[in-house]
Amino acid sequence: MSLQLGDTVPNFTQASSTGKIDFYEWAGDSWVVLFSHPADFTPVCTTELGEVAKLKPEFERRNVKVLALSVDDVESHKGWIGDIEETQSTQLNYPILADPDRKVSDLYGMIHPNANNTLTVRSVFIIDPHKKLRLTLTYPASTGRNFDEILRATKDVDRSGQPFTKISRLRQVFPIEKQALRGKIPPQTLRGCPLLSRLSLGVIDSLQLTDNYQVATPADWKEGNDCVIVASIKDPQELKQKFPKGYKEVKPYLRMTPQPNK
Ligand code: BEZ
């Protein structure tokens, strides 16, 4: 049975890019965002890990530790971290669990066999200091996650795990909510939570785009942003034909192209 909200998450000991981790001990009294990646040296994952490294101070301000997981081994992670730091202009400042035996992936249900038999999907588990599961998200390999949304989720509870009041949540930095608070737009605009609708629309745009074109969308992608060309296309003629607007090769597996249907 898969992990459900309110469950106590299982402990594990596993190797990571920064040494062996006993999860409960490592988490201590902090909140944890545990998030999985399909594989090392893949384009969308590279952008996601870079984005989380840049946001780490924001997570720390909220007493949240971040922990990535990819099914490859520690040696592979160490090589990949070099690429992430070089291409995303950041220092990888948190551990990546190495899970070649799928111990943690199986324990947390990160492998969805009908999506892929061996690689993890993009799972997110937000775990509170009592080791209770408070939020989960599951994205497919082709859609990079929106880390502002994950930060927003950790903002919705204070350090003791109590939900913030509605008004304190509205005081956060989202522009439409802020305008409504200042009386600049009518409060009914908030009905249906426009922030959430904007995020859901972005995810649907990504799913449909990646179904129709051979692209994936990087971390925090929005309609109109550049996309990633899927790794399976290597033939220069095919690349030219499928991506007539051209592309930038950051790494052989990380090639950015303007959104194909724009
Ligand atoms: C990626 O990170 O881009 C990716 C990983 C596995 C499958 C497809 C895409």
Side-chain angles (χ1 to χ4, degrees), residues 71-239:
V71 293
D72 296 305
D73 63 21
V74 168
E75 276 319 295
S76 166
H77 286 359
K78 287 189 174 161
W80 185 33
I81 286 170
D83 274 15
I84 296 166
E85 293 184 342
E86 177 195 330
T87 62
Q88 309 302 305
S89 310
T90 187
Q91 292 288 305
L92 202 93
N93 44 15
Y94 57 90
I96 309 176
L97 287 170
D99 201 36
D101 59 0
R102 315 291 195 260
K103 184 163 74 183
V104 182
S105 312
D106 286 342
L107 207 50
Y108 279 72
M110 292 165 170
I111 294 180
H112 296 197
N114 290 326
N116 190 299
N117 247 332
T118 52
L119 305 179
T120 57
V121 290
R122 296 186 194 284
S123 300
V124 180
F125 297 88
I126 302 186
I127 299 158
D128 74 15
H130 307 292
K131 313 292 177 290
K132 297 268 188 221
L133 182 59
R134 300 291 295 272
L135 182 148
T136 60
L137 284 173
T138 308
Y139 278 41
S142 55
T143 299
R145 284 158 285 201
N146 184 307
F147 289 94
D148 281 341
E149 170 63 354
I150 292 166
L151 264 180
R152 189 183 72 88
T154 62
K155 274 181 197 158
D156 276 357
V157 282
D158 69 18
R159 286 182 181 205
S160 64
Q162 297 304 308
F164 282 158
T165 59
K166 233 179 184 166
I167 197 73
S168 70
R169 191 160 78 80
L170 287 178
R171 279 205 191 97
Q172 293 160 14
V173 291
F174 302 110
I176 291 182
E177 286 82 347
K178 249 174 141 175
Q179 286 181 49
L181 274 176
R182 289 183 190 136
K184 289 194 178 156
I185 57 168
Q188 59 265 35
T189 313
L190 285 170
R191 216 174 278 142
C193 189
L195 171 70
L196 270 185
S197 330
R198 288 201 307 274
L199 291 167
S200 318
L201 286 177
V203 170
I204 293 165
D205 288 342
S206 165
L207 291 173
Q208 294 179 345
L209 181 73
T210 58
D211 272 359
N212 293 328
Y213 298 87
Q214 285 173 294
V215 291
T217 57
D220 297 344
W221 179 85
K222 292 179 204 67
E223 178 80 2
N225 289 3
D226 286 356
C227 303
V228 161
I229 299 175
V230 297
S232 55
I233 308 182
K234 294 197 165 59
D235 174 50
Q237 276 309 105
E238 192 183 356
L239 281 164

Side-chain angles (χ1 to χ4, degrees), residues 34-46:
L34 169 63
F35 60 116
S36 61
H37 296 272
D40 292 3
F41 300 101
T42 50
V44 174
C45 301
T46 302

